[in-house]
């Protein structure tokens, strides 16, 4: 029995997680779910985000499913830092895994493109987002603001190794290193050396390299040429949003914050979307696809594919929420997907 901690959070996170759990239930897998209340309501009531004993309790789970956190009543940053970032850093979830797969060609803004199936492996703990830096002479005309880009050999090695291992395990052909080593001649020189040195151990995987600016152009012009892309934190942040738009937008984008040796967390890319919360308009597909990633990670690979296939079917059949041009409610899409994966329809292949 695998134990999954469920943090629905706020806004549409609560609504989409309800549907995602329906879909997971329909598979009748040996899974146990425990729900945690962290989020805006809990914070407003108790003044707490996530305490040390909560982290202690979470550590015994096999994975976390998170909806979204954020609420207009709470100052921006408190919940994000107190919950999301705390979980990522405490459990050292050093991989941000972001698939960008076009499930239905009608949902890309690109003309005549069908074949987009990229997995981004974004470094999730270092780079420009490590939080190292400071001010000198703050609020004077001599002010200096420094934000340091942290790259450790251990950090770079483990993310490159993950990308190679992932490619091998999933039968993917190529890993592309995306950096800016022509300008960041120290930081990304380390990435270059590690990538090519470590890459020698993966003869079965093709390896190549792109500068981030060129890669951004090629992603739009010829996304079919990419397979697995490994990249530092900030470039990954930007490119994965670009790639999400190429494959259907926020309503379909899911991600994993992974520590292959520890606890991992899966979530939709979108936030709590207060503008549509409580109206039954939220698209549950991103959270359902996050569940697919979670199951894949726990070893239920076939079931993960069944869920993805069900989402493709819903897209093909036009069973969609308003953000995707449909007229269905959140709950109707959840029920439909649950029925499909439950075997009511022929999605086994
Ligand atoms: P943050 O990302 O800062 O938590 P947010 O939730 O407002 O904030 P996004 O998740 O970026 O922002 O979403 C932007 C807008 O896109 C939302 O306000 C909403 O209108 C729409 N949106 C996002 N996710 C969905 C979804 N799953 N279904 C339907 N619409 C969505």
């Amino acid at each position: 029995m695998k134990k999954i901690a469920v943090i629905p959070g706020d806004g549409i996170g609560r609504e989409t997680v309800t549907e995602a759990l329906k879909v997971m239930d329909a598979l009748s897998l040996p899974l146990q779910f425990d729900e945690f209340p962290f989020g805006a309501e809990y914070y407003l009531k108790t003044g707490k985000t996530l305490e040390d004993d909560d982290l202690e309790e979470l550590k015994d789970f096999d994975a976390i499913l998170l909806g979204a956190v954020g609420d207009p009543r709470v100052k921006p940053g408190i919940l994000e830092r107190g919950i999301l970032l705390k979980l990522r850093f405490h459990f050292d979830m050093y991989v941000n895994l972001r698939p960008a797969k076009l499930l239905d060609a009608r949902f890309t803004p690109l003309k005549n493109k069908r074949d987009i199936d990229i997995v981004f492996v974004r470094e999730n703990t270092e780079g420009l987002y490590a939080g190292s830096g400071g001010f000198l002479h703050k609020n004077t005309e001599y002010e200096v603001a420094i934000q340091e880009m942290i790259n450790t050999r251990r950090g770079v090695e483990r993310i490159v190794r993950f990308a190679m291992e992932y490619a091998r395990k999933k039968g993917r052909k190529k890993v592309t290193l995306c950096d800016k080593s022509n300008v960041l001649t120290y930081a990304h020189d380390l990435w270059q050396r590690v990538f090519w040195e470590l890459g020698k151990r993966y003869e079965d995987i093709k390896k190549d390299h792109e500068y981030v600016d060129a890669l951004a152009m090629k992603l739009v012009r010829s996304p079919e040429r990419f397979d697995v892309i490994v990249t530092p934190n900030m470039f990954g942040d930007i490119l994965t949003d670009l790639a999400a738009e190429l494959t259907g937008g926020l309503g379909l984008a899911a991600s994993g914050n992974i520590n292959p040796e520890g606890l991992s967390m899966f979530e939709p890319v979108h936030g709590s979307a207060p503008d549509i919360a409580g109206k039954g308009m939220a698209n549950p597909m991103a959270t359902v696809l996050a569940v697919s990633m979670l199951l894949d990670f726990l070893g239920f690979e076939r079931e993960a594919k069944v869920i993805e296939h069900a989402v493709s079917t819903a897209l093909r059949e036009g069973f969609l929420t308003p953000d995707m041009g449909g007229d269905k409610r959140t709950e109707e899409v959840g029920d439909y997907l649950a029925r499909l994966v439950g075997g009511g329809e022929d999605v086994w292949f």
Side-chain angles (χ1 to χ4, degrees):
M1 180 74 78
K2 300 274 188 198
K3 281 175 63 183
I4 299 171
V6 180
I7 307 175
D10 304 316
I12 65 167
R14 308 195 68 78
E15 300 164 46
T16 62
V17 163
T18 303
E19 304 311 315
L21 290 179
K22 263 186 210 165
V23 174
M24 204 151 26
D25 269 348
L27 287 163
S28 306
L29 291 169
L31 302 172
Q32 177 195 318
F33 306 103
D34 286 341
E35 193 171 316
F36 289 82
F38 314 123
E41 215 57 64
Y42 181 75
Y43 173 73
L44 290 170
K45 224 182 280 163
T46 64
K48 294 178 183 172
T49 49
L50 193 73
E51 304 293 301
D52 288 348
D53 45 344
D54 299 323
L55 293 169
E56 195 49 35
E57 195 180 345
L58 285 169
K59 92 174 186 322
D60 295 325
F61 283 82
D62 293 290
I64 301 175
L65 174 67
L66 182 115
V69 298
D71 185 299
R73 293 170 298 168
V74 180
K75 224 173 107 198
I78 293 183
L79 299 171
E80 292 80 353
R81 267 197 309 276
I83 300 174
L84 286 180
L85 293 180
K86 204 168 198 173
L87 285 168
R88 280 185 205 160
F89 280 98
H90 180 82
F91 292 110
D92 198 18
M93 298 167 177
Y94 64 86
V95 184
N96 186 230
L97 195 67
R98 284 271 297 262
K101 182 171 178 178
L102 185 60
L103 296 176
D104 188 305
R106 279 173 303 170
F107 293 96
T108 179
L110 300 180
K111 216 163 63 180
N112 302 327
K113 294 290 178 195
R114 314 192 142 265
D115 178 23
I116 310 177
D117 185 4
I118 307 168
V119 176
F120 285 87
V121 177
R122 165 187 168 193
E123 204 292 318
N124 212 21
T125 57
E126 300 192 337
L128 273 166
Y129 296 5
S132 171
F135 298 105
L136 277 177
H137 315 302
K138 194 172 177 186
N139 288 325
T140 73
E141 62 179 304
Y142 306 107
E143 177 159 359
V144 181
I146 295 174
Q147 195 90 41
E148 289 161 324
M149 184 195 271
I150 306 296
N151 296 267
T152 66
R153 179 171 275 275
R154 171 177 170 269
V156 180
E157 274 180 3
R158 66 183 184 174
I159 196 73
V160 169
R161 189 177 305 112
F162 180 90
M164 297 288 176
E165 290 289 338
Y166 180 87
R168 183 176 271 173
K169 180 154 180 249
K170 295 293 174 193
R172 288 183 172 259
K173 305 274 171 293
K174 186 172 76 170
V175 177
T176 302
L177 168 64
C178 168
D179 66 18
K180 189 72 185 170
S181 47
N182 49 346
V183 176
L184 304 174
T185 47
Y186 308 117
H188 289 183
D189 184 70
L190 173 63
W191 279 77
Q192 282 285 330
R193 280 180 284 120
V194 167
F195 181 78
W196 295 108
E197 275 164 30
L198 244 170
K200 286 184 198 147
R201 296 190 209 156
Y202 297 87
E203 277 178 8
D204 46 325
I205 311 282
K206 260 179 75 183
K207 285 151 291 264
D208 69 1
H209 167 256
E210 296 283 355
Y211 296 122
V212 63
D213 42 346
L215 190 133
M217 288 196 290
K218 288 174 188 172
L219 260 185
V220 175
R221 186 175 291 278
S222 42
E224 64 282 354
R225 71 161 71 182
F226 295 107
D227 193 345
V228 175
I229 298 175
V230 62
T231 189
N233 210 336
M234 185 174 70
F235 296 162
D237 187 13
I238 299 165
L239 293 173
T240 52
D241 272 14
L242 169 61
E245 271 313 307
L246 300 183
T247 49
L250 274 182
L252 291 174
S255 78
N257 296 280
I258 293 176
N259 178 340
E261 298 89 37
L263 185 61
S264 299
M265 172 167 74
F266 299 83
E267 58 179 331
V269 168
H270 63 72
S272 58
D275 55 329
I276 57 162
K279 296 184 179 159
M281 287 165 70
N283 183 354
M285 287 177 173
T287 311
V288 169
L289 290 170
V291 160
S292 167
M293 291 181 76
L294 181 151
L295 292 181
D296 184 72
F297 177 76
L298 291 181
F300 300 109
E301 291 174 19
R302 188 170 170 77
E303 287 79 3
K305 286 211 180 80
V306 168
I307 291 180
E308 192 182 284
H309 199 264
V311 172
S312 299
T313 304
L315 293 173
R316 194 182 62 237
E317 299 296 324
F319 211 95
L320 305 167
T321 43
D323 59 304
M324 306 285 291
D327 60 0
K328 299 289 182 263
R329 295 177 59 78
T330 309
E331 195 186 318
E332 291 177 293
V333 175
D335 288 341
Y336 180 78
L337 294 173
R339 230 177 16 252
L340 286 179
V341 306
E345 310 257 343
D346 181 23
V347 292
W348 293 92
F349 46 92

